[in-house]
Amino acid sequence: MIQQDQLLQVTNLNIIFPSPKGDVHAVKDISFSLGKEKIGLVGESGSGKSVTGRAILRLLPPYAKVSAEEISFKGQDLLSFSEKELRCIRGKEISMVMQDPKYSLNPVRTVGQQISEAYIVHSKVSKSVAREQTLKMLTAVRIRNPEQVYKLYPHEVSGGMGQRIMIAMMLIPEPSLLIADEPTSALDVTVQLQVLAILDDLVTQRGMGLIFISHDLELVASFCDRVIIMYGGRIMEVINAADLHNSTHPYTRGLLNCLPRIEGRNERLSTLVRDDAWLDADFWHSNDSDGIII
Amino acid sequence: MLNISNLNIYFGHGSEKNHALKDVSFEIKKGESFGLVGESGSGKSTVLNCISGLLNHWQGTIEVDGEVVSQKRDLAFYRKVQLVFQDPYGSLHPRHTIDRTLKEPLAIHKFTDINHRVEKVLSEVDLGSQFRFRYPHQLSGGQRQRVAVARALILEPEIILLDEPTSALDVSIQAEVLNLLQDIRKERNLTYVMVSHDLAVISYMCENCAVMSQGSVVEMISAEQLQSGDLSQNYTKQLFTASKGYDRAAIDLFQDF
């Protein structure tokens, strides 16, 4: 199932963090492609899912060694881009929603100023047009009183609203790909779903691609079209979300089994028994579902 | 074992005054595991803080083991009731070894046979003796939470208050810690009060739970009711639907409470 309108192609991405105790190989030889779809990147902490998202936009610290055969976006080779050229991609073409609005918003500027800045930088419009557009965007992310919220500072808004503001800011330049790094893990379940519904609608309406980074397997299974499961810096499995519960990969099964369930009360939760063989490169290539290039 | 009736608490003054707990009442039998569920700001952690004595300007009655406890607690109370916090890194002293962290409560309560007790409690939470002289930063998140559980257990309490003990952990580690908590409860016949926002965790751990919203208990449900989805309040139903995963159609029907 190679997508016709392919947005992003990553081939053999490697990320190494040098350290005095030897290099940490955070991501090893991962490859995936993305069309206009919702793809979930799931894994435990330390599995390399966030650094993968950041590496695409070259947002890792300079000491990180990122190498790849190919990172191409709409046929353009992002690896060959200079910092300056990349700035035109960041925000306008690919944007990223970070986990915590508290740390990602500028505390000394109002919410409205920050969002309209994102618009002005990429669209060269007047301030009043930007303001108009910002208010429209705030309404689109279901903020009921945009005029009022426009004037607020980040510390005056709740976590759920902060996250919606982040999403509004990232969507206002109308990117074709959105990388969302645990955008909802700090929110209550109902608010979380409402925020996801906003993303979902925008993906469908605008034909955007979405990379959704999360540790919540169940949520990803119900929200995304495809799921990439990572462990120890490697891709364990790429699977259609609908088939996730029938997965035969031992790691995916292990993760699914250790979730407690509302409806069933099994006496003991099964725990994950880790197997070093999972980290061998050739372990899972045989069962390559749907011909997705791994 | 634990009896709470008409618990009220206010934060702030004047126009900022916030009625954070509104007549919260529940009763927990010995050996029972009781859950408190709700969204952030519903007051579930505040209830635990009132019981544990971290907050002392509450009004109402708190009865532990048949005795009414006052705002001021004595040592005997803390031997009976212990608290495990959400963030295991924040609740362990970064410059104390695990050994020292575990010995401190023993010294306060004038226990004897201290070395032996530390050894025993560490093996009980499945931490080997090699962890005993490490610092918190040398442990993983799951191991730190085990130390926090060990510190609560070492005084041989009867009630353990658990404030989202696994929400900072990965699902694979969460399963290990939940299993451990269940095993210890069976072994020692402990009473748990567990706060969580995750209905699945509550359903696995608890026999009964109270659903809280904006400082009041909206519904008391048993685990069976939770498992079968037999719920009467709209708020609980919405939480239940939300816990089932992403469903675009259902989200449009969500209300604010």
Side-chain angles (χ1 to χ4, degrees):
Chain A
M1 189 182 66
I2 295 165
Q3 305 277 323
Q4 284 177 337
D5 41 5
Q6 198 182 57
L7 278 176
L8 183 75
Q9 171 68 45
V10 175
T11 316
N12 286 336
L13 175 69
N14 277 284
I15 303 171
I16 295 168
F17 290 99
S19 88
K21 288 182 187 163
D23 290 357
V24 178
H25 211 146
V27 170
K28 289 175 200 152
D29 287 328
I30 69 163
S31 309
F32 60 91
S33 63
L34 170 86
K36 291 180 176 171
E37 58 181 334
K38 288 171 283 178
I39 198 159
L41 208 53
V42 200
E44 294 174 88
S45 28
S47 60
K49 52 192 193 314
S50 291
V51 279
T52 304
R54 283 168 175 259
I56 295 168
L57 277 175
R58 222 189 281 166
L59 289 176
L60 291 171
Y63 56 82
K65 291 184 201 150
V66 181
S67 60
E69 230 160 77
E70 185 187 12
I71 301 181
S72 66
F73 173 72
K74 288 184 174 169
Q76 301 160 284
D77 183 14
L78 290 188
L79 286 169
S80 67
F81 274 35
S82 67
E83 258 317 294
K84 197 178 171 190
E85 288 169 313
L86 207 60
R87 276 206 294 275
C88 300
I89 296 284
R90 286 188 195 133
K92 195 173 168 60
E93 294 288 346
I94 309 178
S95 65
M96 187 160 181
V97 179
M98 307 285 181
Q99 187 167 3
D100 195 337
K102 287 242 151 52
Y103 296 107
S104 314
L105 292 171
N106 185 343
V108 295
R109 302 191 65 201
T110 65
V111 163
Q113 282 175 336
Q114 297 185 50
I115 303 179
S116 42
E117 181 189 10
Y119 191 57
I120 291 171
V121 163
H122 291 291
S123 323
K124 308 271 177 289
V125 291
S126 70
K127 274 189 180 164
S128 58
V129 176
R131 186 189 149 85
E132 201 100 318
Q133 201 61 31
T134 303
L135 292 176
K136 239 187 245 171
M137 202 61 229
L138 285 173
T139 325
V141 294
R142 311 244 177 90
I143 286 176
R144 275 179 224 136
N145 37 2
E147 295 274 351
Q148 215 177 322
V149 172
Y150 191 94
K151 287 179 243 153
L152 295 181
Y153 285 91
H155 74 271
E156 296 173 300
V157 301
S158 67
M161 198 181 275
Q163 205 50 269
R164 284 180 232 196
I165 289 163
M166 281 290 288
I167 290 174
M169 192 193 299
M170 293 307 142
L171 288 174
I172 203 166
E174 310 208 337
S176 9
L177 172 62
L178 184 71
I179 303 171
D181 188 357
E182 309 231 13
T184 58
S185 53
L187 308 178
D188 281 325
V189 269
T190 46
V191 183
Q192 163 175 334
L193 294 186
Q194 282 165 338
V195 171
L196 289 184
I198 297 165
L199 280 180
D200 191 13
D201 291 350
L202 292 165
V203 168
T204 331
Q205 285 160 15
R206 293 189 177 171
M208 241 174 27
L210 175 69
I211 299 180
F212 183 71
I213 301 172
S214 173
H215 63 269
D216 190 335
L217 207 54
E218 285 292 329
L219 183 70
V220 168
S222 56
F223 178 67
C224 295
D225 304 317
R226 279 198 296 152
V227 185
I228 299 175
I229 290 155
M230 290 187 69
Y231 174 69
R234 289 188 180 279
I235 290 184
M236 289 290 112
E237 181 172 37
V238 181
I239 192 166
N240 285 328
D243 303 327
L244 185 75
H245 287 272
N246 306 321
S247 164
T248 48
H249 190 288
Y251 179 65
T252 315
R253 283 251 60 89
L255 275 188
L256 284 169
N257 288 339
C258 52
L259 286 169
R261 312 210 172 268
I262 297 185
E263 60 279 355
R265 191 195 185 97
N266 31 356
E267 268 312 301
R268 237 184 124 71
L269 295 168
S270 55
T271 49
L272 188 66
V273 183
R274 288 161 212 275
D275 187 346
D276 288 339
W278 297 342
L279 296 176
D280 286 345
D282 304 320
F283 182 66
W284 202 248
H285 280 201
S286 51
N287 189 2
D288 198 344
S289 60
D290 297 331
I292 293 160
I293 352 147
I294 299 187
Chain B
M1 189 71 194
L2 184 66
N3 228 332
I4 311 280
S5 53
N6 297 323
L7 189 64
N8 278 285
I9 198 165
Y10 297 88
F11 292 118
H13 299 281
S15 61
E16 300 272 283
K17 198 168 182 176
N18 175 16
H19 198 170
L21 289 181
K22 299 167 190 156
D23 284 329
V24 172
S25 308
F26 54 82
E27 204 174 305
I28 306 170
K29 291 198 255 332
K30 190 168 171 60
E32 188 184 333
S33 172
F34 187 84
L36 286 168
V37 220
E39 305 202 298
S40 34
S42 62
K44 50 193 189 330
S45 294
T46 309
V47 173
L48 281 202
N49 290 342
C50 290
I51 300 173
S52 61
L54 285 175
L55 290 171
N56 51 22
H57 59 290
W58 46 269
Q59 294 137 27
T61 329
I62 300 178
E63 232 175 82
V64 176
D65 213 2
E67 283 169 49
V68 177
V69 294
S70 64
Q71 319 285 359
K72 228 176 157 194
R73 311 291 161 83
D74 51 8
L75 265 185
F77 172 82
Y78 291 111
R79 269 214 52 187
K80 223 177 255 174
V81 182
Q82 282 289 315
L83 180 62
V84 176
F85 294 95
Q86 175 175 10
D87 173 13
Y89 197 61
S91 57
L92 296 176
H93 196 301
R95 297 184 62 170
H96 285 184
T97 59
I98 305 312
D99 180 67
R100 186 165 169 194
T101 299
L102 293 176
K103 277 179 179 166
E104 189 169 342
L106 290 176
I108 292 170
H109 290 267
K110 304 198 170 59
F111 274 73
T112 52
D113 201 9
I114 286 180
N115 270 320
H116 181 67
R117 281 175 194 271
V118 170
E119 213 168 280
K120 198 172 133 231
V121 84
L122 278 178
S123 71
E124 212 169 338
V125 296
D126 290 328
L127 283 177
S129 51
Q130 74 269 29
F131 294 105
R132 186 165 169 185
F133 294 101
R134 289 201 192 168
Y135 288 95
H137 73 268
Q138 295 169 309
L139 304 180
S140 71
Q143 288 164 345
R144 274 179 220 145
Q145 198 56 288
R146 283 168 195 272
V147 173
V149 172
R151 180 176 56 184
L153 282 177
I154 204 161
L155 291 177
E156 296 168 357
E158 291 168 45
I159 300 175
I160 296 191
L161 310 172
L162 302 157
D163 190 356
E164 309 232 21
T166 59
S167 65
L169 308 176
D170 272 325
V171 283
S172 48
I173 313 298
Q174 165 173 292
E176 290 171 19
V177 173
L178 290 182
N179 280 337
L180 171 75
L181 287 171
Q182 286 290 53
D183 291 346
I184 293 170
R185 178 160 79 101
K186 262 183 230 152
E187 218 169 275
R188 296 194 174 190
N189 194 25
L190 292 171
T191 309
Y192 282 169
V193 186
M194 183 164 178
V195 163
S196 179
H197 61 270
D198 189 336
L199 283 182
V201 169
I202 291 290
S203 155
Y204 173 71
M205 290 290 293
C206 303
E207 283 99 47
N208 290 297
C209 76
V211 184
M212 294 191 64
S213 169
Q214 294 181 6
S216 349
V217 175
V218 286
E219 195 173 3
M220 298 285 244
I221 46 177
S222 67
E224 289 75 34
Q225 275 176 297
L226 186 59
Q227 283 152 20
S228 59
D230 173 21
L231 310 162
S232 60
Q233 295 292 320
N234 286 335
Y235 178 76
T236 323
K237 282 181 192 161
Q238 183 167 315
L239 269 188
F240 185 76
T241 319
S243 309
K244 291 274 180 189
Y246 183 78
D247 176 357
R248 186 66 192 83
I251 292 163
D252 285 334
L253 303 173
F254 281 0
Q255 307 162 24
D256 289 327
F257 288 93

